[in-house]
Amino acid sequence: MYDDTINLLQLEHIKHQIESIETRTEGSELIIEIKLFKQKESCPICRSDDISFHEYKYKKIIHSISTNSKCILRYRQRRYRCKLCGKSFGESNPFTAKHQNISNYTYISILNHLKDPTHTFSDTANRYHVSVQSVMNIFDRSVDAKRRELPEIVCIDEVFTSRMNRYKYACILFDFTSSKIIDVLATRRKHYLIDYFSRISQKEKSNVKIVVMDMWESYREAVKLSFPKAKIAVDSFHVIRTLNDVMKAIRIKVMNRYRLGKSGPEHDDSYYYMLKKFHYFLLKNYEDIYDGKIHIPKFKSYWHKSEIMDYLLSIDDDLRDVYRLKEAYREFNLTADYETCEEELDQLIQRFRNHKLPEMRTFGRTLDNWKEEIRNSLIISNNRRVSNGPIESINSKIKTIIKTSTGIKSFARLRNKIMYSINKDIPIKK
């Protein structure tokens, strides 16, 4: 008789218990009047079956089957009194947990909604017609993400969290193979990391074969102390980005020499214009630059990328030399082999360290300092080169969570939200 209504209200699992059900609207709210068949009950205190009917009591339960309007279950609950101990109690309630006024269906819907990194506590509260505090309470009661076991390849990176953390950066531990977050730590500081890893058993730590990181000295020192047998690999993207920063600084220095109004060769403003407008030519992979004709408004003409590149490199000898050395390292990074790369890497380091420009010599010292870790970054595991690439894509989701979660004041809650939204396999507590 009530099957369609019961199905619509997502109450199929208890339809055999429903005696009557009626719906009506009050303003913008949908009210569901519901009564259950009488069930055999016993006293929750003394377990006596000698009980008597005491009264009916209405219980209001938020049951968000619709995101357009608030839905209230007005449950007519029987109450009984125990003849033996005098305790009064309500009949078994299949809609909610004890002392809750939010239905189990709504409870689970809220938790499922929060699995999306873009969904905040506020928009979840609006969607399911509950308070923001109720959503946070549900999340805190139900989600307690445990650290995952350390895998063979661990990636370490940081993320900015100063708004909701006493430290400026949190540290992310990531499983390179499964693409799951291992843990989120409050800070990347060396002593904190050493203390954290010291609490993990030596047997588990011995499973770690490679740790991938950026060129942050605290990471290296902490990992060397905590995982003495593991290889450390520096993320190749981080090295290239550092080299591109050097290239950018030198380009700007050359470009500013040709700023209009300063002494310089004829057509100095053209040099300045081209170095500023086509700055990306000196940083981007040449093969990735558009291969058709490119409009140059200042010259009122169209040039091919090869013509633009030749023009840029003709402006200054140092700029041309820096670019070619940068490309030599990029070629090494793309083609070198872990087993045979040592001699080629040493030659590149010497070229950088002996360069006339101080910025290049500084980068050469950096390469020398991280030489072994750069070589380890060429290791191939399951047909993939080890890197922090997988964690970089995850970091964008983490930044979305942080950006949209202005109401998160607890780091523990932020950590749980990150792991719950990204790993997807965090169990819900009963």
PDB file of all heavy atoms in Angstrom, residues 67-95:
ATOM      1  N   THR A  67      17.546  17.355  -1.831  1.00  0.00           N
ATOM      2  CA  THR A  67      18.421  18.493  -1.555  1.00  0.00           C
ATOM      3  C   THR A  67      17.704  19.816  -1.783  1.00  0.00           C
ATOM      4  O   THR A  67      18.254  20.880  -1.524  1.00  0.00           O
ATOM      5  CB  THR A  67      19.667  18.437  -2.459  1.00  0.00           C
ATOM      6  OG1 THR A  67      19.251  18.419  -3.830  1.00  0.00           O
ATOM      7  CG2 THR A  67      20.495  17.194  -2.165  1.00  0.00           C
ATOM      8  N   ASN A  68      16.444  19.737  -2.277  1.00  0.00           N
ATOM      9  CA  ASN A  68      15.702  20.963  -2.571  1.00  0.00           C
ATOM     10  C   ASN A  68      14.944  21.492  -1.355  1.00  0.00           C
ATOM     11  O   ASN A  68      14.750  22.690  -1.205  1.00  0.00           O
ATOM     12  CB  ASN A  68      14.714  20.730  -3.710  1.00  0.00           C
ATOM     13  CG  ASN A  68      15.420  20.383  -5.011  1.00  0.00           C
ATOM     14  OD1 ASN A  68      16.453  20.958  -5.309  1.00  0.00           O
ATOM     15  ND2 ASN A  68      14.867  19.444  -5.768  1.00  0.00           N
ATOM     16  N   SER A  69      14.508  20.584  -0.512  1.00  0.00           N
ATOM     17  CA  SER A  69      13.746  21.017   0.660  1.00  0.00           C
ATOM     18  C   SER A  69      14.058  20.094   1.837  1.00  0.00           C
ATOM     19  O   SER A  69      14.447  18.934   1.650  1.00  0.00           O
ATOM     20  CB  SER A  69      12.241  20.983   0.366  1.00  0.00           C
ATOM     21  OG  SER A  69      11.819  19.681   0.006  1.00  0.00           O
ATOM     22  N   LYS A  70      13.878  20.632   3.016  1.00  0.00           N
ATOM     23  CA  LYS A  70      14.148  19.866   4.219  1.00  0.00           C
ATOM     24  C   LYS A  70      13.068  18.820   4.422  1.00  0.00           C
ATOM     25  O   LYS A  70      11.874  19.103   4.260  1.00  0.00           O
ATOM     26  CB  LYS A  70      14.206  20.817   5.417  1.00  0.00           C
ATOM     27  CG  LYS A  70      14.704  20.173   6.706  1.00  0.00           C
ATOM     28  CD  LYS A  70      14.892  21.217   7.785  1.00  0.00           C
ATOM     29  CE  LYS A  70      15.487  20.627   9.048  1.00  0.00           C
ATOM     30  NZ  LYS A  70      15.697  21.656  10.091  1.00  0.00           N
ATOM     31  N   CYS A  71      13.479  17.622   4.775  1.00  0.00           N
ATOM     32  CA  CYS A  71      12.536  16.520   4.996  1.00  0.00           C
ATOM     33  C   CYS A  71      12.644  16.061   6.453  1.00  0.00           C
ATOM     34  O   CYS A  71      13.731  15.800   6.953  1.00  0.00           O
ATOM     35  CB  CYS A  71      12.851  15.369   4.043  1.00  0.00           C
ATOM     36  SG  CYS A  71      11.802  13.925   4.277  1.00  0.00           S
ATOM     37  N   ILE A  72      11.485  15.994   7.135  1.00  0.00           N
ATOM     38  CA  ILE A  72      11.446  15.607   8.542  1.00  0.00           C
ATOM     39  C   ILE A  72      10.610  14.345   8.706  1.00  0.00           C
ATOM     40  O   ILE A  72       9.458  14.285   8.254  1.00  0.00           O
ATOM     41  CB  ILE A  72      10.832  16.736   9.414  1.00  0.00           C
ATOM     42  CG1 ILE A  72      11.634  18.024   9.302  1.00  0.00           C
ATOM     43  CG2 ILE A  72      10.742  16.279  10.874  1.00  0.00           C
ATOM     44  CD1 ILE A  72      13.023  17.953   9.881  1.00  0.00           C
ATOM     45  N   LEU A  73      11.211  13.322   9.329  1.00  0.00           N
ATOM     46  CA  LEU A  73      10.434  12.157   9.747  1.00  0.00           C
ATOM     47  C   LEU A  73       9.833  12.466  11.120  1.00  0.00           C
ATOM     48  O   LEU A  73      10.565  12.780  12.068  1.00  0.00           O
ATOM     49  CB  LEU A  73      11.338  10.926   9.881  1.00  0.00           C
ATOM     50  CG  LEU A  73      11.841  10.246   8.608  1.00  0.00           C
ATOM     51  CD1 LEU A  73      12.709   9.055   8.974  1.00  0.00           C
ATOM     52  CD2 LEU A  73      10.700   9.810   7.715  1.00  0.00           C
ATOM     53  N   ARG A  74       8.497  12.443  11.198  1.00  0.00           N
ATOM     54  CA  ARG A  74       7.832  12.649  12.481  1.00  0.00           C
ATOM     55  C   ARG A  74       7.401  11.262  12.968  1.00  0.00           C
ATOM     56  O   ARG A  74       6.335  10.753  12.649  1.00  0.00           O
ATOM     57  CB  ARG A  74       6.623  13.585  12.314  1.00  0.00           C
ATOM     58  CG  ARG A  74       6.113  14.184  13.611  1.00  0.00           C
ATOM     59  CD  ARG A  74       5.234  15.406  13.322  1.00  0.00           C
ATOM     60  NE  ARG A  74       4.675  15.964  14.549  1.00  0.00           N
ATOM     61  CZ  ARG A  74       3.491  15.628  15.064  1.00  0.00           C
ATOM     62  NH1 ARG A  74       2.720  14.747  14.442  1.00  0.00           N
ATOM     63  NH2 ARG A  74       3.070  16.177  16.178  1.00  0.00           N
ATOM     64  N   TYR A  75       8.302  10.676  13.725  1.00  0.00           N
ATOM     65  CA  TYR A  75       8.186   9.271  14.119  1.00  0.00           C
ATOM     66  C   TYR A  75       7.382   9.148  15.408  1.00  0.00           C
ATOM     67  O   TYR A  75       7.755   9.720  16.442  1.00  0.00           O
ATOM     68  CB  TYR A  75       9.603   8.716  14.264  1.00  0.00           C
ATOM     69  CG  TYR A  75       9.737   7.388  14.950  1.00  0.00           C
ATOM     70  CD1 TYR A  75       8.830   6.343  14.753  1.00  0.00           C
ATOM     71  CD2 TYR A  75      10.830   7.148  15.795  1.00  0.00           C
ATOM     72  CE1 TYR A  75       8.980   5.129  15.388  1.00  0.00           C
ATOM     73  CE2 TYR A  75      10.993   5.937  16.422  1.00  0.00           C
ATOM     74  CZ  TYR A  75      10.067   4.925  16.228  1.00  0.00           C
ATOM     75  OH  TYR A  75      10.211   3.708  16.861  1.00  0.00           O
ATOM     76  N   ARG A  76       6.250   8.418  15.344  1.00  0.00           N
ATOM     77  CA  ARG A  76       5.397   8.191  16.519  1.00  0.00           C
ATOM     78  C   ARG A  76       5.930   6.968  17.266  1.00  0.00           C
ATOM     79  O   ARG A  76       5.591   5.829  16.960  1.00  0.00           O
ATOM     80  CB  ARG A  76       3.944   7.986  16.091  1.00  0.00           C
ATOM     81  CG  ARG A  76       2.945   8.109  17.250  1.00  0.00           C
ATOM     82  CD  ARG A  76       1.546   7.868  16.766  1.00  0.00           C
ATOM     83  NE  ARG A  76       0.576   8.046  17.829  1.00  0.00           N
ATOM     84  CZ  ARG A  76      -0.660   7.543  17.832  1.00  0.00           C
ATOM     85  NH1 ARG A  76      -1.078   6.819  16.796  1.00  0.00           N
ATOM     86  NH2 ARG A  76      -1.474   7.771  18.843  1.00  0.00           N
ATOM     87  N   GLN A  77       6.729   7.228  18.271  1.00  0.00           N
ATOM     88  CA  GLN A  77       7.445   6.165  18.976  1.00  0.00           C
ATOM     89  C   GLN A  77       6.707   5.742  20.248  1.00  0.00           C
ATOM     90  O   GLN A  77       6.290   6.583  21.045  1.00  0.00           O
ATOM     91  CB  GLN A  77       8.859   6.644  19.342  1.00  0.00           C
ATOM     92  CG  GLN A  77       9.748   5.562  19.952  1.00  0.00           C
ATOM     93  CD  GLN A  77      11.098   6.108  20.368  1.00  0.00           C
ATOM     94  OE1 GLN A  77      11.175   7.207  20.915  1.00  0.00           O
ATOM     95  NE2 GLN A  77      12.157   5.345  20.124  1.00  0.00           N
ATOM     96  N   ARG A  78       6.526   4.432  20.410  1.00  0.00           N
ATOM     97  CA  ARG A  78       5.929   3.903  21.640  1.00  0.00           C
ATOM     98  C   ARG A  78       6.964   3.937  22.762  1.00  0.00           C
ATOM     99  O   ARG A  78       8.140   3.662  22.539  1.00  0.00           O
ATOM    100  CB  ARG A  78       5.472   2.458  21.444  1.00  0.00           C
ATOM    101  CG  ARG A  78       4.356   2.283  20.430  1.00  0.00           C
ATOM    102  CD  ARG A  78       4.011   0.807  20.273  1.00  0.00           C
ATOM    103  NE  ARG A  78       2.976   0.611  19.267  1.00  0.00           N
ATOM    104  CZ  ARG A  78       3.215   0.466  17.963  1.00  0.00           C
ATOM    105  NH1 ARG A  78       4.464   0.489  17.510  1.00  0.00           N
ATOM    106  NH2 ARG A  78       2.220   0.301  17.119  1.00  0.00           N
ATOM    107  N   ARG A  79       6.483   4.255  23.943  1.00  0.00           N
ATOM    108  CA  ARG A  79       7.336   4.183  25.121  1.00  0.00           C
ATOM    109  C   ARG A  79       6.721   3.204  26.121  1.00  0.00           C
ATOM    110  O   ARG A  79       5.502   3.119  26.266  1.00  0.00           O
ATOM    111  CB  ARG A  79       7.507   5.565  25.758  1.00  0.00           C
ATOM    112  CG  ARG A  79       8.333   6.507  24.908  1.00  0.00           C
ATOM    113  CD  ARG A  79       8.737   7.736  25.698  1.00  0.00           C
ATOM    114  NE  ARG A  79       9.582   7.429  26.854  1.00  0.00           N
ATOM    115  CZ  ARG A  79      10.894   7.199  26.779  1.00  0.00           C
ATOM    116  NH1 ARG A  79      11.510   7.210  25.610  1.00  0.00           N
ATOM    117  NH2 ARG A  79      11.573   6.949  27.885  1.00  0.00           N
ATOM    118  N   TYR A  80       7.587   2.471  26.780  1.00  0.00           N
ATOM    119  CA  TYR A  80       7.158   1.429  27.710  1.00  0.00           C
ATOM    120  C   TYR A  80       7.757   1.694  29.095  1.00  0.00           C
ATOM    121  O   TYR A  80       8.732   2.432  29.240  1.00  0.00           O
ATOM    122  CB  TYR A  80       7.611   0.040  27.219  1.00  0.00           C
ATOM    123  CG  TYR A  80       7.059  -0.342  25.878  1.00  0.00           C
ATOM    124  CD1 TYR A  80       7.785  -0.104  24.708  1.00  0.00           C
ATOM    125  CD2 TYR A  80       5.810  -0.951  25.777  1.00  0.00           C
ATOM    126  CE1 TYR A  80       7.280  -0.470  23.472  1.00  0.00           C
ATOM    127  CE2 TYR A  80       5.292  -1.312  24.535  1.00  0.00           C
ATOM    128  CZ  TYR A  80       6.032  -1.067  23.386  1.00  0.00           C
ATOM    129  OH  TYR A  80       5.526  -1.423  22.168  1.00  0.00           O
ATOM    130  N   ARG A  81       7.129   1.037  30.088  1.00  0.00           N
ATOM    131  CA  ARG A  81       7.669   1.112  31.444  1.00  0.00           C
ATOM    132  C   ARG A  81       7.876  -0.315  31.960  1.00  0.00           C
ATOM    133  O   ARG A  81       6.996  -1.186  31.801  1.00  0.00           O
ATOM    134  CB  ARG A  81       6.731   1.867  32.382  1.00  0.00           C
ATOM    135  CG  ARG A  81       7.334   2.097  33.796  1.00  0.00           C
ATOM    136  CD  ARG A  81       6.401   2.893  34.685  1.00  0.00           C
ATOM    137  NE  ARG A  81       6.147   4.222  34.193  1.00  0.00           N
ATOM    138  CZ  ARG A  81       6.971   5.258  34.357  1.00  0.00           C
ATOM    139  NH1 ARG A  81       8.116   5.080  34.986  1.00  0.00           N
ATOM    140  NH2 ARG A  81       6.645   6.437  33.879  1.00  0.00           N
ATOM    141  N   CYS A  82       9.013  -0.559  32.568  1.00  0.00           N
ATOM    142  CA  CYS A  82       9.328  -1.881  33.112  1.00  0.00           C
ATOM    143  C   CYS A  82       8.649  -2.031  34.471  1.00  0.00           C
ATOM    144  O   CYS A  82       8.812  -1.186  35.363  1.00  0.00           O
ATOM    145  CB  CYS A  82      10.840  -2.052  33.253  1.00  0.00           C
ATOM    146  SG  CYS A  82      11.326  -3.621  34.007  1.00  0.00           S
ATOM    147  N   LYS A  83       7.893  -3.100  34.626  1.00  0.00           N
ATOM    148  CA  LYS A  83       7.194  -3.339  35.889  1.00  0.00           C
ATOM    149  C   LYS A  83       8.151  -3.795  36.990  1.00  0.00           C
ATOM    150  O   LYS A  83       7.820  -3.671  38.175  1.00  0.00           O
ATOM    151  CB  LYS A  83       6.103  -4.398  35.694  1.00  0.00           C
ATOM    152  CG  LYS A  83       4.977  -3.939  34.770  1.00  0.00           C
ATOM    153  CD  LYS A  83       3.930  -5.024  34.628  1.00  0.00           C
ATOM    154  CE  LYS A  83       2.783  -4.573  33.718  1.00  0.00           C
ATOM    155  NZ  LYS A  83       1.771  -5.645  33.562  1.00  0.00           N
ATOM    156  N   LEU A  84       9.322  -4.280  36.590  1.00  0.00           N
ATOM    157  CA  LEU A  84      10.253  -4.805  37.576  1.00  0.00           C
ATOM    158  C   LEU A  84      11.134  -3.708  38.168  1.00  0.00           C
ATOM    159  O   LEU A  84      11.257  -3.572  39.383  1.00  0.00           O
ATOM    160  CB  LEU A  84      11.137  -5.895  36.944  1.00  0.00           C
ATOM    161  CG  LEU A  84      12.089  -6.631  37.883  1.00  0.00           C
ATOM    162  CD1 LEU A  84      11.317  -7.385  38.964  1.00  0.00           C
ATOM    163  CD2 LEU A  84      12.967  -7.603  37.095  1.00  0.00           C
ATOM    164  N   CYS A  85      11.754  -2.860  37.283  1.00  0.00           N
ATOM    165  CA  CYS A  85      12.688  -1.844  37.798  1.00  0.00           C
ATOM    166  C   CYS A  85      12.144  -0.425  37.651  1.00  0.00           C
ATOM    167  O   CYS A  85      12.749   0.528  38.148  1.00  0.00           O
ATOM    168  CB  CYS A  85      14.043  -1.942  37.090  1.00  0.00           C
ATOM    169  SG  CYS A  85      13.996  -1.497  35.337  1.00  0.00           S
ATOM    170  N   GLY A  86      11.009  -0.261  36.969  1.00  0.00           N
ATOM    171  CA  GLY A  86      10.383   1.042  36.831  1.00  0.00           C
ATOM    172  C   GLY A  86      10.988   1.932  35.745  1.00  0.00           C
ATOM    173  O   GLY A  86      10.574   3.083  35.574  1.00  0.00           O
ATOM    174  N   LYS A  87      11.953   1.424  34.985  1.00  0.00           N
ATOM    175  CA  LYS A  87      12.586   2.203  33.929  1.00  0.00           C
ATOM    176  C   LYS A  87      11.619   2.384  32.764  1.00  0.00           C
ATOM    177  O   LYS A  87      10.954   1.448  32.320  1.00  0.00           O
ATOM    178  CB  LYS A  87      13.855   1.483  33.460  1.00  0.00           C
ATOM    179  CG  LYS A  87      14.506   2.059  32.221  1.00  0.00           C
ATOM    180  CD  LYS A  87      15.163   3.397  32.500  1.00  0.00           C
ATOM    181  CE  LYS A  87      15.874   3.909  31.257  1.00  0.00           C
ATOM    182  NZ  LYS A  87      16.477   5.243  31.478  1.00  0.00           N
ATOM    183  N   SER A  88      11.531   3.641  32.230  1.00  0.00           N
ATOM    184  CA  SER A  88      10.751   3.871  31.018  1.00  0.00           C
ATOM    185  C   SER A  88      11.715   3.982  29.841  1.00  0.00           C
ATOM    186  O   SER A  88      12.823   4.535  29.972  1.00  0.00           O
ATOM    187  CB  SER A  88       9.922   5.149  31.140  1.00  0.00           C
ATOM    188  OG  SER A  88      10.733   6.275  31.306  1.00  0.00           O
ATOM    189  N   PHE A  89      11.309   3.481  28.666  1.00  0.00           N
ATOM    190  CA  PHE A  89      12.203   3.451  27.504  1.00  0.00           C
ATOM    191  C   PHE A  89      11.384   3.433  26.225  1.00  0.00           C
ATOM    192  O   PHE A  89      10.190   3.085  26.214  1.00  0.00           O
ATOM    193  CB  PHE A  89      13.132   2.228  27.567  1.00  0.00           C
ATOM    194  CG  PHE A  89      12.401   0.910  27.608  1.00  0.00           C
ATOM    195  CD1 PHE A  89      12.125   0.212  26.444  1.00  0.00           C
ATOM    196  CD2 PHE A  89      11.968   0.376  28.821  1.00  0.00           C
ATOM    197  CE1 PHE A  89      11.442  -0.998  26.492  1.00  0.00           C
ATOM    198  CE2 PHE A  89      11.290  -0.831  28.875  1.00  0.00           C
ATOM    199  CZ  PHE A  89      11.020  -1.523  27.701  1.00  0.00           C
ATOM    200  N   GLY A  90      12.026   3.826  25.115  1.00  0.00           N
ATOM    201  CA  GLY A  90      11.358   3.840  23.817  1.00  0.00           C
ATOM    202  C   GLY A  90      11.581   2.548  23.063  1.00  0.00           C
ATOM    203  O   GLY A  90      12.551   1.820  23.305  1.00  0.00           O
ATOM    204  N   GLU A  91      10.653   2.266  22.126  1.00  0.00           N
ATOM    205  CA  GLU A  91      10.825   1.072  21.297  1.00  0.00           C
ATOM    206  C   GLU A  91      12.058   1.226  20.404  1.00  0.00           C
ATOM    207  O   GLU A  91      12.569   2.324  20.180  1.00  0.00           O
ATOM    208  CB  GLU A  91       9.584   0.857  20.427  1.00  0.00           C
ATOM    209  CG  GLU A  91       9.348   1.930  19.385  1.00  0.00           C
ATOM    210  CD  GLU A  91       8.083   1.688  18.570  1.00  0.00           C
ATOM    211  OE1 GLU A  91       7.572   0.565  18.570  1.00  0.00           O
ATOM    212  OE2 GLU A  91       7.618   2.655  17.921  1.00  0.00           O
ATOM    213  N   SER A  92      12.548   0.109  19.902  1.00  0.00           N
ATOM    214  CA  SER A  92      13.741   0.110  19.056  1.00  0.00           C
ATOM    215  C   SER A  92      13.540   1.048  17.866  1.00  0.00           C
ATOM    216  O   SER A  92      12.520   0.995  17.175  1.00  0.00           O
ATOM    217  CB  SER A  92      14.039  -1.307  18.555  1.00  0.00           C
ATOM    218  OG  SER A  92      14.247  -2.173  19.651  1.00  0.00           O
ATOM    219  N   ASN A  93      14.536   1.903  17.640  1.00  0.00           N
ATOM    220  CA  ASN A  93      14.450   2.946  16.617  1.00  0.00           C
ATOM    221  C   ASN A  93      15.364   2.590  15.440  1.00  0.00           C
ATOM    222  O   ASN A  93      16.590   2.644  15.563  1.00  0.00           O
ATOM    223  CB  ASN A  93      14.861   4.287  17.248  1.00  0.00           C
ATOM    224  CG  ASN A  93      14.940   5.409  16.235  1.00  0.00           C
ATOM    225  OD1 ASN A  93      14.561   5.254  15.090  1.00  0.00           O
ATOM    226  ND2 ASN A  93      15.449   6.537  16.678  1.00  0.00           N
ATOM    227  N   PRO A  94      14.781   2.242  14.290  1.00  0.00           N
ATOM    228  CA  PRO A  94      15.613   1.847  13.143  1.00  0.00           C
ATOM    229  C   PRO A  94      16.090   3.021  12.293  1.00  0.00           C
ATOM    230  O   PRO A  94      16.782   2.822  11.298  1.00  0.00           O
ATOM    231  CB  PRO A  94      14.648   0.976  12.323  1.00  0.00           C
ATOM    232  CG  PRO A  94      13.308   1.591  12.569  1.00  0.00           C
ATOM    233  CD  PRO A  94      13.339   2.098  13.991  1.00  0.00           C
ATOM    234  N   PHE A  95      15.708   4.240  12.674  1.00  0.00           N
ATOM    235  CA  PHE A  95      16.014   5.406  11.832  1.00  0.00           C
ATOM    236  C   PHE A  95      17.325   6.098  12.179  1.00  0.00           C
ATOM    237  O   PHE A  95      18.014   6.628  11.312  1.00  0.00           O
ATOM    238  CB  PHE A  95      14.876   6.439  11.930  1.00  0.00           C
ATOM    239  CG  PHE A  95      13.530   5.898  11.599  1.00  0.00           C
ATOM    240  CD1 PHE A  95      12.585   5.692  12.590  1.00  0.00           C
ATOM    241  CD2 PHE A  95      13.205   5.572  10.292  1.00  0.00           C
ATOM    242  CE1 PHE A  95      11.338   5.182  12.289  1.00  0.00           C
ATOM    243  CE2 PHE A  95      11.959   5.061   9.982  1.00  0.00           C
ATOM    244  CZ  PHE A  95      11.016   4.869  10.975  1.00  0.00           C
TER     245      PHE A  95
END
